[in-house]
Amino acid sequence: MPLAHSGATARSVKPRRRHHRLLTAFIILAAALALALFGAWNWVDSNLNSSQWLPGTPNTPGTSWLILGSDERDGTTGQDGTTGARTDTILVLTKPNSGPSSLISIPRDSLVQVGQDYMKINAVYQISKTDLVKQVETVTGQHIDHVAEIQFGGLKSVVDALGGVKLCYDHTVDDVNSGMKWQAGCHVANGDQALAFSRMRYSDPNGDFGRAARQRQVIAAIMSTAASSSTLSNFGKTTATAKAGLRAIRVDEHTTPYTLATMAMAFRSATGGSGVTGSLYWKDAGYYVDGVGSCVLLDTAKNHELFAALGRGEHKAGTVGTLAEANQQQ
């Protein structure tokens, strides 16, 4: 009897010990992951280049990011005589509480009024960052929660860190102004090629509208490649991409690593098959104003209807805007 009792006690202790060891291992692993995430959070947070952007307007449904492409000429590519920085790409990314995310381009030549003066929307950046956000909110009717300004020159380093990105264009191009040399079709582009791809407009039959579409494609390709399993499983590539990305981006005063990650996921969703992409609606793409030049006259009422539906997640997936409708009719 004593031996049987002793054996029973020995058998009952071993499972508890194994369970205790597994629990200890799990706690150690969880702690290690928490420390890694905390370290990555602090590293990203400390490297964010942030400044005052937001005017503090009332919220609207959904969460929206103003994504700006600053075509800063830093000697990388392009021989069209342009110097300094230009806000040539203006995108509004919207993630509703439910429903498809959207990515909509605002033509850089869109006519806006600041005070008593008329000007193209990309010129508002020279007045102030906050004024630019206000104008975007005015033409869309959508509250902007965050801003991300991407330097296209800096994207060259991001693309190279990823080992290239796949881009597609249906025309053969040899454009002297941008440096873009392209054989019709899809190719894996390096940093220089992706930069020229995003800058070319003079050889594009759709001009700035075509360039905006290609710039959306470049950023979408970067997002998709960066989030791929082959990139995430390669620590060296992930680290190099993160460093290059943080050097290329400037954000608003309320952006955190979390909101930046949410933006990336929303962008990927918007540019996928279940998202909404396109450009604003306009009434006249060659509207002339003395002292301003040829502008894009927007259809404000229709754009407010569009963004109200996008913010509520009620718009079906697909391509929207005047250019999209014109292409569908051809």
Side-chain angles (χ1 to χ4, degrees):
M1 291 295 292
L3 289 176
H5 181 271
S6 174
T9 301
R11 285 192 296 272
S12 65
V13 169
K14 287 180 181 179
R16 285 201 297 269
R17 286 178 177 171
R18 285 196 296 269
H19 176 74
H20 178 71
R21 286 195 295 267
L22 288 172
L23 180 59
T24 301
F26 175 78
I27 292 173
I28 292 173
L29 177 60
L33 288 172
L35 286 172
L37 289 172
F38 180 74
W41 178 288
N42 282 343
W43 178 77
V44 173
D45 193 47
S46 64
N47 282 277
L48 285 177
N49 185 354
S50 59
S51 58
Q52 185 76 31
W53 279 91
L54 303 174
T57 52
N59 288 330
T60 52
T63 301
S64 291
W65 291 261
L66 172 60
I67 301 176
L68 304 171
S70 177
D71 198 2
E72 187 170 337
R73 298 305 169 121
D74 52 8
T76 48
T77 300
Q79 304 297 325
D80 60 1
T82 302
T83 58
R86 300 178 301 173
T87 310
D88 277 352
T89 303
I90 306 174
L91 305 168
V92 179
L93 172 66
T94 301
K95 181 182 183 301
N97 292 331
S98 63
S101 294
S102 61
L103 183 68
I104 307 299
S105 295
I106 298 178
R108 67 171 194 150
D109 291 338
S110 298
L111 182 65
V112 296
Q113 184 176 1
V114 182
Q116 300 299 315
D117 299 321
Y118 288 97
M119 62 184 67
K120 297 178 181 180
I121 195 168
N122 73 329
V124 181
Y125 181 85
Q126 303 299 326
I127 299 174
S128 79
K129 296 175 180 178
T130 303
D131 279 319
L132 177 58
V133 176
K134 286 180 180 178
Q135 287 300 320
V136 170
E137 292 179 334
T138 297
V139 300
T140 62
Q142 180 72 17
H143 169 76
I144 298 299
D145 296 276
H146 295 288
V147 179
E149 180 186 14
I150 302 169
Q151 297 172 279
F152 274 100
L155 287 187
K156 173 184 179 298
S157 299
V158 178
V159 173
D160 286 336
L162 289 170
V165 295
K166 184 179 179 181
L167 301 173
C168 300
Y169 190 58
D170 292 335
H171 303 280
T172 296
V173 175
D174 186 357
D175 185 71
V176 176
N177 295 300
S178 65
M180 179 178 171
K181 297 181 184 296
W182 193 266
Q183 188 68 32
C186 297
H187 309 283
V188 175
N190 62 23
D192 283 322
Q193 292 166 333
L195 187 58
F197 187 91
S198 69
R199 284 177 168 166
M200 190 274 289
R201 61 171 172 151
Y202 292 107
S203 298
D204 192 315
N206 288 320
D208 280 329
F209 300 110
R211 176 168 64 171
R214 280 181 285 103
Q215 288 173 342
R216 290 197 303 270
Q217 184 185 162
V218 169
I219 301 175
I222 290 172
M223 296 286 191
S224 178
T225 306
S228 67
S229 58
S230 61
T231 298
L232 295 177
S233 62
N234 186 326
F235 179 76
K237 182 183 288 189
T238 301
T239 302
T241 302
K243 288 181 177 178
L246 288 171
R247 286 194 299 267
I249 193 170
R250 301 163 181 161
V251 296
D252 67 273
E253 63 273 26
H254 297 311
T255 289
T256 67
Y258 173 77
T259 59
L260 204 58
T262 303
M263 181 193 76
M265 290 186 288
F267 198 108
R268 191 179 186 191
S269 175
T271 55
S274 60
V276 183
T277 60
S279 183
L280 290 183
Y281 289 98
W282 68 81
K283 298 178 180 178
D284 189 344
Y287 188 76
Y288 188 84
V289 177
D290 289 338
V292 181
S294 181
C295 305
V296 177
L297 182 62
L298 299 175
D299 189 335
T300 302
K302 203 166 185 179
N303 289 324
H304 283 197
E305 291 178 6
L306 169 66
F307 275 89
L310 294 174
R312 294 191 299 264
E314 297 173 354
H315 202 291
K316 65 179 181 180
T319 307
V320 300
T322 298
L323 183 61
E325 291 183 352
N327 290 336
Q328 292 169 1
Q329 294 171 0
Q330 291 178 358

